[in-house]
Amino acid sequence: MLKILLPIDGSDHSSKAVRKTIEMMNWYKETPEIHLLNVQFPLDGNVSLFINQGDIKQYHQEEGMKCLQNACELLEQAKITYQCHITLGDSADMIERFATTQQCDLIVIGARGHGVIKSLLLGSVVNKVMQLSSIPVLLVK
């Protein structure tokens, strides 16, 4: 079965990627397995001195679900099943690692729409995912 990874950050760009994935569903004989991934930034090291690990984990879980909410609603409206995942770390590294360990066949990611020069200077997550990934990446503008 085809596995598609949709990195979701809660932005309009990631919603466009979800909508494009929904449009692509009729291209396949068998419905692909959809994985939504939200990558949370770890909190500053000093925070753990004042807040217990359980509360920090719950915070990341809640923030991740907020980011995933719109994508989940779009997929549910289209009656497409999916799995949600929330992880911590560098966004591009975690996207690539997740796609590799889950043996995904395609990463569908929303492009920010920056110009070439600006994109080179920013070193965006999208660019880094494209550099790191051995899996095909579909950019949605």
Side-chain angles (χ1 to χ4, degrees):
M1 176 184 289
L2 183 71
K3 289 184 182 181
I4 298 175
L5 173 60
L6 283 157
I8 304 294
D9 63 2
S11 69
D12 289 339
H13 301 286
S14 58
S15 293
K16 286 180 185 178
V18 173
R19 285 192 286 276
K20 183 61 178 177
T21 301
I22 291 168
E23 288 176 25
M24 295 182 337
M25 285 298 114
N26 63 359
W27 296 1
Y28 306 105
K29 289 181 183 178
E30 190 176 340
T31 303
E33 190 175 298
I34 305 295
H35 292 271
L36 303 178
L37 177 66
N38 175 259
V39 181
Q40 291 285 305
F41 294 108
L43 298 176
D44 191 333
N46 294 333
V47 171
S48 62
L49 296 174
F50 305 104
I51 302 173
N52 73 48
Q53 289 299 319
D55 289 342
I56 293 172
K57 186 175 181 177
Q58 181 180 351
Y59 167 79
H60 285 302
Q61 203 57 29
E62 289 171 2
E63 291 301 307
M65 288 310 296
K66 284 180 193 175
C67 292
L68 292 168
Q69 184 177 2
N70 188 46
C72 293
E73 289 171 2
L74 290 169
L75 290 167
E76 287 168 8
Q77 289 171 2
K79 296 181 175 39
I80 297 172
T81 58
Y82 59 90
Q83 295 176 36
C84 289
H85 310 273
I86 299 169
T87 189
L88 298 175
D90 175 76
S91 296
D93 291 337
M94 297 310 293
I95 291 167
E96 190 278 329
R97 185 179 303 163
F98 183 90
T100 301
T101 58
Q102 293 295 317
Q103 299 177 331
C104 293
D105 301 292
L106 177 66
I107 299 170
V108 180
I109 191 166
R112 293 273 184 222
H114 294 304
V116 175
I117 302 292
K118 192 172 185 181
S119 187
L120 287 172
L121 293 174
L122 292 175
S124 72
V125 171
V126 174
N127 286 336
K128 192 171 177 187
V129 168
M130 290 174 50
Q131 290 172 0
L132 292 173
S133 181
S134 59
I135 297 163
V137 178
L138 174 62
L139 297 177
V140 178
K141 281 185 111 178

